[in-house]
Amino acid sequence: MREEVDAEATAWALAARAGDGEAAQEFVRATQLDVRRYVTHLSGDVQAADDLVQDTYLRALRSLPGFEGRSSARTWLLTIARRTVADRIRTSACRPRPADTDDWQTAVERTQPRGLPGFEEGIALSELLALIDAPRREAFVLTQLLGLPYAQAAAVIDCPVGTVRSRVARARESLISLLEEAEESDRAGTGGRGAALAGSAA
């Protein structure tokens, strides 16, 4: 199923490269959720997600004439998204960071609607992932949340496939350890977020 989705997105990208405006819109619609999830996890700043997504597509559409379909369009697009986030981080490092963006989990809670199925679980997973070091988190998000094959994730990150596998395995180990800690806190009567974390990762 994922292969079919990737093939369709690649076909839209190739058609858009040839000047088909409707194909360009379909390409954006087919990939924008993955791009948003990726840049949000990668940047750690949900408030910047809209700008990062927009910048990613501006770069991608300008680069479409050079896209030849040798890799899937989604892999190509996520590589551009990664560079976009890296450029934003380098730029932001030269500026004072607003205090209200330091805690990005809190920002997620403020900006997402409550009462939807899976809302608390999604926030809890974000909290768990935020505690894992960035390279492992990125590999986990690409393969386990966005569903990229390990080879495609390696192409996005620009590292060997074995490195991606190792990072994902260690991310899983970290998540299990964090989950056990959350469950232990819940049994000890701490409650609160511990229970939500346990429910999310189960």
Side-chain angles (χ1 to χ4, degrees):
M1 180 62 182
R2 175 56 72 177
E3 290 78 6
E4 294 177 3
V5 172
D6 279 352
E8 184 177 43
T10 300
W12 287 127
L14 290 171
R17 183 189 68 173
D20 186 335
E22 183 177 344
Q25 294 178 17
E26 292 294 339
F27 172 63
V28 172
R29 277 194 285 267
T31 56
Q32 62 184 347
L33 179 58
D34 282 350
V35 171
R36 178 175 295 279
R37 295 175 72 182
Y38 183 49
V39 299
T40 300
H41 280 288
L42 196 60
S43 68
D45 186 354
V46 70
Q47 293 180 331
D50 286 340
D51 286 343
L52 289 168
V53 170
Q54 183 177 21
D55 288 350
T56 295
Y57 281 107
L58 286 174
R59 293 185 183 197
L61 293 175
R62 284 198 300 263
S63 301
L64 265 178
F67 176 67
E68 299 179 354
R70 294 176 182 172
S71 63
S72 76
R74 190 165 62 130
T75 300
W76 172 77
L77 181 61
L78 291 175
T79 301
I80 293 174
R82 191 174 197 267
R83 287 198 298 266
T84 301
V85 173
D87 289 345
R88 177 67 62 89
I89 290 173
R90 279 193 291 268
T91 300
S92 298
C94 301
R95 304 173 182 169
R97 184 184 177 96
D100 65 352
T101 61
D102 288 337
D103 183 358
W104 70 279
Q105 288 82 23
T106 301
V108 172
E109 293 180 351
R110 287 200 306 265
T111 58
Q112 292 192 27
R114 292 184 177 275
L116 297 179
F119 171 79
E120 290 295 339
E121 292 81 356
I123 298 302
L125 178 59
S126 293
E127 290 180 345
L128 284 172
L129 288 170
L131 298 175
I132 300 174
D133 70 271
R136 295 177 188 177
R137 181 172 66 244
E138 180 181 15
F140 186 89
V141 168
L142 283 170
T143 59
Q144 308 306 303
L145 298 187
L146 302 188
L148 257 66
Y150 284 95
Q152 290 187 22
V156 172
I157 300 173
D158 192 22
C159 71
V161 173
T163 299
V164 175
R165 292 186 184 279
S166 175
R167 290 176 180 176
V168 171
R170 292 182 179 182
R172 284 191 180 122
E173 292 173 359
S174 296
L175 287 171
I176 291 171
S177 177
L178 290 167
L179 175 59
E180 290 173 348
E181 292 176 10
E183 290 175 336
E184 182 62 31
S185 296
D186 190 50
R187 283 194 295 269
T190 303
R193 185 60 70 192
L197 289 173
S200 169

